[in-house]
Amino acid sequence: MKTTNHDLALKNINTKGLPHRLWMLSIVVLLGSCSLLPAKTFESQQNDPQAQKTNDPNPLIAPPPIISSSGDPNFVVKVVQNVGPAVVRIDSSRTITSRVPEEFNDPLFRRFFGDAVPQPRQRVERGSGSGFIINSSGQILTNSHVVDGADRVTVTLKDGRTFDGKVLGEDAVTDVAVIKIDANNLPTLAVGNSDILQPGEPVIAIGNPLGLNNTVTSGIISATGRSGSDIGASDKRVDYIQTDAAINPGNSGGPLLNTRGQVIAMNTAIIRGAQGLGFAIPINTAQRIAQELIAKGKVDHPYLGVQMVTLTPENKERIKNIAGDRLNLTADEGVLLVEIVPRSPASSAGLRAGDVIKSINNQPVTKIEEVQKLVENSKIGTTLPVEVERNGKIVQLAVRPAPLPVRREG
């Protein structure tokens, strides 16, 4: 329901910076482009003297990892019983008014057709999703796209009680929103640490997929650190957690839990037509955004105003073939600036189309995702050192990020 002018994949930009074919190539590369987190160690069975015996006539068969990690084959049941009441259903609706084409307002048209002129029509769009209670006084975390543009939000608890919800704030860039209901002494979820997650850990998802309330699925963490570009959401600034726990429309905003019943992520996305590919926003990210939404009602993200492409040997060869002598591209790696938005922080700092970013804040970069992360972690209005290669020479520049502009539709 919302469009954002993303810092790294801007729409409707001025393409005079480079030849048209080169600009089109950058779009293709951005759409097709595919942070390691601290590892957590586990005790190996090899350290168990009993496990090292090879002449045991009755060797024990090790249980599946999803059971042995918790020590209880029924851990999913216990988790659901403990945390299920804190997971809610969220229904939203908004009224859309269709506009009458300007031609019908022409006096000449009305003279001949009179009352035959069509009138504006209204329709109601409805959606549903999930959420989870983060505060006993009624604050609920969910996805921005679940409540975006809604005229009315309704929250249904597992015990059947229904409340009108108020949107405290939403952030389209991370797809996080916070809503509030008028209730007290509500059950809440314990929060885990998403920075120490590791592929292979068992997880549980609870939500309301396709209108089927209180649905539970389980699986494992398939990967961490998936960028928005990896999953086809280049306008989002999130390092997603990938899971094979079944996630369907309606699961959006629901919790992804570890074996201790702690929420470690918020389910948010699926890839249409794929199976076993679900994605969730790490809870550390969701919590940080939620705190800002509760305090200010919005989140300001740093913005430079550039469009970029990761420079690889293959991309470099294609770009040189297209641009020819018009672009003196000597760098073999880095991030090529394809377009600079007029009157943006990047433009004011002197960045140019054709520059290759080599480092930001003294940290080397070779991918657009790395630039995105460093910009996101910068501070609005604070000088950010940027080193670029321009025509074979190194140039030092200083950019002051501004708040990311957001444009709404409808």
Side-chain angles (χ1 to χ4, degrees), residues 5-173:
N5 287 335
H6 191 272
D7 191 17
L8 307 180
L10 294 168
K11 299 179 181 178
N12 301 322
I13 60 176
N14 185 339
T15 59
K16 294 181 180 180
L18 287 179
H20 178 69
R21 291 179 61 199
L22 176 56
W23 177 79
M24 290 299 294
L25 172 64
S26 71
I27 296 296
V28 173
V29 175
L30 276 172
L31 292 177
S33 68
C34 296
S35 69
L36 296 178
L37 302 177
K40 183 171 68 176
T41 60
F42 292 91
E43 290 184 359
S44 170
Q45 281 191 334
Q46 292 180 354
N47 294 328
D48 184 352
Q50 297 297 325
Q52 296 179 12
K53 293 181 180 181
T54 58
N55 57 352
D56 190 339
N58 297 305
L60 295 176
I61 300 177
I66 197 168
I67 296 176
S68 63
S69 63
S70 66
D72 182 0
N74 294 319
F75 77 93
V76 174
V77 175
K78 292 184 178 180
V79 167
V80 174
Q81 289 174 342
N82 290 335
V83 308
V87 182
V88 304
R89 173 180 174 134
I90 300 174
D91 293 286
S92 63
S93 62
R94 71 169 182 168
T95 302
I96 305 296
T97 302
S98 61
R99 298 178 181 177
V100 177
E102 291 296 330
E103 292 79 3
F104 291 107
N105 293 321
D106 188 283
L108 182 63
F109 184 95
R110 289 182 175 274
R111 176 181 177 185
F112 285 99
F113 293 94
D115 294 337
V117 176
Q119 299 300 311
R121 294 184 177 181
Q122 291 186 336
R123 72 179 191 277
V124 177
E125 288 186 349
R126 303 183 187 277
S128 66
S130 306
F132 52 95
I133 304 169
I134 59 174
N135 184 289
S136 62
S137 61
Q139 291 175 347
I140 297 170
L141 201 60
T142 187
N143 281 149
S144 172
H145 74 260
V146 171
V147 298
D148 181 37
D151 301 318
R152 184 180 182 186
V153 175
T154 303
V155 176
T156 303
L157 306 186
K158 188 177 181 181
D159 62 16
R161 288 183 292 166
T162 301
F163 299 86
D164 288 333
K166 176 184 178 182
V167 179
L168 297 181
E170 54 177 305
D171 179 50
V173 176

Side-chain angles (χ1 to χ4, degrees), residues 317-366:
E317 187 64 28
R318 278 182 281 181
I319 291 169
K320 291 180 67 174
N321 290 337
I322 293 172
D325 296 335
R326 290 170 292 181
L327 180 63
N328 182 20
L329 188 58
T330 58
D332 293 320
E333 65 176 9
V335 177
L336 175 67
L337 299 185
V338 178
E339 185 66 30
I340 308 298
V341 178
R343 297 179 297 278
S344 67
S347 176
S348 300
L351 287 167
R352 304 176 187 173
D355 287 348
V356 177
I357 298 179
K358 306 298 289 185
S359 71
I360 292 183
N361 202 20
N362 300 318
Q363 298 187 46
V365 295
T366 58

Side-chain angles (χ1 to χ4, degrees), residues 21 39 63 96 173 219 248 285 289 294 314 353 395:
R21 291 179 61 199
I96 305 296
V173 176
N248 290 283
T285 299
I289 298 298
I294 293 170
E314 295 78 13
V395 179

Side-chain angles (χ1 to χ4, degrees), residues 150-324:
D151 301 318
R152 184 180 182 186
V153 175
T154 303
V155 176
T156 303
L157 306 186
K158 188 177 181 181
D159 62 16
R161 288 183 292 166
T162 301
F163 299 86
D164 288 333
K166 176 184 178 182
V167 179
L168 297 181
E170 54 177 305
D171 179 50
V173 176
T174 55
D175 200 14
V176 174
V178 180
I179 61 180
K180 176 74 167 62
I181 61 175
D182 188 12
N184 292 297
N185 300 318
L186 296 174
T188 61
L189 291 183
V191 176
N193 183 2
S194 55
D195 285 344
I196 61 174
L197 298 177
Q198 190 167 263
E201 292 186 44
V203 289
I204 305 160
I206 305 178
N208 310 290
L210 303 173
L212 301 172
N213 292 351
N214 308 311
T215 295
V216 179
T217 59
S218 66
I220 62 171
I221 293 175
S222 303
T224 59
R226 296 294 195 202
S227 69
S229 298
D230 289 339
I231 71 170
S234 58
D235 62 326
K236 299 291 185 270
R237 296 187 181 182
V238 175
D239 283 337
Y240 293 94
I241 294 169
Q242 181 182 332
T243 178
D244 67 349
I247 295 175
N248 290 283
N251 273 116
S252 293
L256 190 68
L257 306 151
N258 60 22
T259 58
R260 295 178 293 281
Q262 299 171 327
V263 56
I264 46 92
M266 179 168 62
N267 301 318
T268 187
I270 56 176
I271 295 180
R272 187 179 301 274
Q275 294 183 354
L277 291 176
F279 299 92
I281 302 167
I283 193 59
N284 290 12
T285 299
Q287 265 197 316
R288 174 176 57 83
I289 298 298
Q291 289 171 357
E292 291 193 50
L293 292 175
I294 293 170
K296 303 186 301 181
K298 65 175 184 176
V299 177
D300 289 326
H301 295 274
Y303 157 83
L304 299 186
V306 299
Q307 183 163 351
M308 308 173 285
V309 60
T310 297
L311 191 59
T312 64
E314 295 78 13
N315 289 342
K316 179 179 178 180
E317 187 64 28
R318 278 182 281 181
I319 291 169
K320 291 180 67 174
N321 290 337
I322 293 172

